[in-house]
Amino acid sequence: MAALGLLGSFVTACGSSGSGGGTTLRLVAAEYGNSPATSSKVYWDRLTTAFTAAHPGTKIEVTLYPWADVDREVTRLVEEGNAPDVALMGAYSDFAAQGRLYPASELLSVRAEANFLPPLAEAGSVDNTLYGLPFVASSRLLFYNEELFDESGAEPPKTWSDLEEAAKALKEEGVLYPYALPLGPEEAHAEALIWELSNGGGYAGASGGYDIASERNAQTFRWIKKSLVEPGLTGPVPPADLNRQDAFAAFLRGEVGMLNGYPSLLHEARTKGMKVGTLTMPVSDTLTDGRPISSAGVADWMMAFKRDGNRELVGSFLEFVYEDKNLSAFADRYHLLPSTVSASQASKDAADPSNEQFMEALSGAELYPVNEPSWLQVSDTIKRNIGKAVAPSADPKAVLEGIADEVQEVAKQP
């Protein structure tokens, strides 16, 4: 999610391979690190060693895949009839729709199930039943380079018009990317959602399904195109070609005035000695009446596959994973946010105080519609196409309608 692993797949095992008798648990998880030193293997080795020491005779096998591969690999294992006991990845609802997952009520204590942050629990539920257990999360805030703002005389923006004025001042000062707009295929669906929410739009329809080509969303992309892209306030790379990681790297080089970011980027910037301000996303000038606007939130999901004889062991393991100290250790390692109320409170009390603003944003965040079984394919469609909405010759409404038509076809597939 927020830290794309660049390592190849590998296996780390606690005990011998194989399964049987409900004593061996297989976990397939995304790799959050980008080097051997930051690999998630370190975390899972420690956690599984502690778990097996407390549960003699049990064995845990952990296989890690890069983010680019983990969804596909888990899907392959499921299709081959070799589903893992537990998976940690970016989506869950397609497996829930197939009846392959345990509901949380069959795995966790009532206290543990009720401990998830409400927006995350809602996103992890299908028909009011929790199947996707949120693991770590992030919310998005607007970052601004305080030194560049001081040099240009720009003011931290509260509205879209303010953001436009700040971007103009930054451009006049020679800032390469006054506002970095990453609508490239890596994570365009996140940047697009942030902007849509700030104008009262979004991906989800009022009664379920998708509403990608709503008039609110069309207004959003018309404004972005006219007010930021056409005046050259988004930098030298066309937004459709600018990926998130490239935008973040430019920000860390001091070439970006403003962009949307999450906790790990803030940590990196401050480690480099940068002075960074953070704000909730400025709102559309048509929404300055005080109505609440949701921030964008992202979560990663644990899920447990039904297999004969594995429910008790899986439940014990997940209870252990979601203990505050264990969940917080992972979140702290990658500068992300824990998914439970108690771990969030502990993190707020003991960790970097800069996380508090992200936690507040997460408490009222709107997440992707991950409980729609078609979301994996829909998100890919959005990522590949949404950047076209701000291209020079584009009609934003027509682009959104084209995406909506493709999404409708995807959603019809069984």
Side-chain angles (χ1 to χ4, degrees):
M1 179 191 73
L4 295 181
L6 302 179
L7 302 179
S9 63
F10 60 88
V11 178
T12 176
C14 251
S16 61
S17 61
S19 61
T23 60
T24 298
L25 183 147
R26 295 165 53 227
L27 167 67
V28 174
E31 168 61 81
Y32 285 68
N34 56 16
S35 71
T38 62
S39 172
S40 302
K41 180 179 185 298
V42 175
Y43 170 85
W44 291 114
D45 279 351
R46 290 173 181 168
L47 184 127
T48 55
T49 297
F51 180 79
T52 54
H55 298 78
T58 61
K59 302 168 185 176
I60 310 293
E61 299 174 1
V62 181
T63 305
L64 300 179
Y65 289 104
W67 271 106
D69 301 331
V70 66
D71 290 349
R72 180 177 64 252
E73 291 297 330
V74 172
T75 299
R76 176 183 61 80
L77 290 170
V78 170
E79 291 174 347
E80 292 174 354
N82 191 29
D85 297 286
V86 179
L88 169 59
M89 50 192 280
Y92 71 89
S93 57
D94 49 345
F95 300 125
Q98 296 166 20
R100 297 181 183 274
L101 301 182
Y102 286 113
S105 59
E106 294 185 20
L107 300 168
L108 302 176
S109 66
V110 173
R111 181 178 180 180
E113 184 179 358
N115 194 27
F116 292 112
L117 292 166
L120 304 184
E122 181 180 352
S125 298
V126 177
D127 295 330
N128 297 314
T129 300
L130 182 64
Y131 292 100
L133 309 183
F135 186 56
V136 287
S138 72
S139 56
R140 305 299 169 94
L141 296 173
L142 183 73
F143 287 27
Y144 63 97
N145 184 314
E146 292 183 345
E147 292 186 4
L148 296 181
F149 264 60
D150 289 343
E151 291 168 2
S152 66
E155 294 291 335
K158 295 182 179 180
T159 67
W160 286 2
S161 291
D162 294 343
L163 188 149
E164 180 185 6
E165 290 305 310
K168 289 177 179 177
L170 291 161
K171 183 180 181 182
E172 289 175 4
E173 192 64 24
V175 175
L176 192 60
Y177 295 87
Y179 178 87
L181 183 67
L183 292 177
E186 180 189 343
E187 205 193 33
H189 60 318
E191 181 72 14
L193 179 60
I194 292 166
W195 279 95
E196 290 168 357
L197 291 174
S198 69
N199 191 32
Y203 294 138
S207 56
Y210 304 101
D211 192 17
I212 291 169
S214 69
E215 185 54 34
R216 282 278 179 193
N217 291 346
Q219 289 172 1
T220 297
F221 285 95
R222 289 190 198 106
W223 188 91
I224 294 171
K225 180 186 176 189
K226 178 181 178 181
S227 303
L228 296 181
V229 178
E230 291 178 353
L233 301 179
T234 56
V237 179
D241 297 330
L242 183 63
N243 279 319
R244 177 200 59 178
Q245 290 289 60
D246 296 328
F248 283 9
F251 183 77
L252 294 172
R253 292 194 301 267
E255 297 172 353
V256 174
M258 297 174 282
L259 87 172
N260 284 300
Y262 45 63
S264 56
L265 177 63
L266 183 60
H267 174 80
E268 279 192 81
R270 290 183 172 169
T271 298
K272 290 174 64 70
M274 295 177 66
K275 295 180 179 179
V276 179
T278 56
L279 298 166
T280 55
M281 179 65 185
V283 298
S284 163
D285 293 76
T286 65
L287 296 180
T288 55
D289 56 2
R291 77 179 75 179
I293 298 297
S294 297
S295 300
V298 181
D300 300 333
W301 307 97
M302 281 275 193
M303 63 213 72
F305 289 87
K306 295 178 178 178
R307 296 178 61 191
D308 289 342
N310 75 338
R311 186 174 66 85
E312 184 176 351
L313 177 58
V314 168
S316 296
F317 179 70
L318 290 175
E319 285 274 352
F320 187 71
V321 166
Y322 283 99
E323 289 182 11
D324 286 354
K325 63 180 180 180
N326 295 328
L327 182 60
S328 294
F330 192 94
D332 292 347
R333 179 174 177 82
Y334 296 106
H335 306 287
L336 296 169
L337 305 178
S339 60
T340 64
V341 174
S342 56
S344 295
Q345 185 60 50
S347 179
K348 180 178 177 181
D349 292 342
D352 184 347
S354 64
N355 272 355
E356 184 173 349
Q357 192 176 9
F358 288 101
M359 290 179 182
E360 289 176 357
L362 184 63
S363 67
E366 181 168 325
L367 281 76
Y368 304 132
V370 290
N371 44 16
E372 293 285 346
S374 56
W375 172 244
L376 265 181
Q377 291 175 276
V378 168
S379 63
D380 181 65
T381 299
I382 295 170
K383 285 187 283 188
R384 287 185 290 103
N385 293 289
I386 200 73
K388 300 173 185 176
V390 297
S393 60
D395 174 358
K397 179 70 170 180
V399 172
L400 293 181
E401 288 175 342
I403 295 172
D405 289 344
E406 187 172 342
V407 164
Q408 188 173 14
E409 292 302 312
V410 168
K412 287 180 182 177
Q413 296 175 12

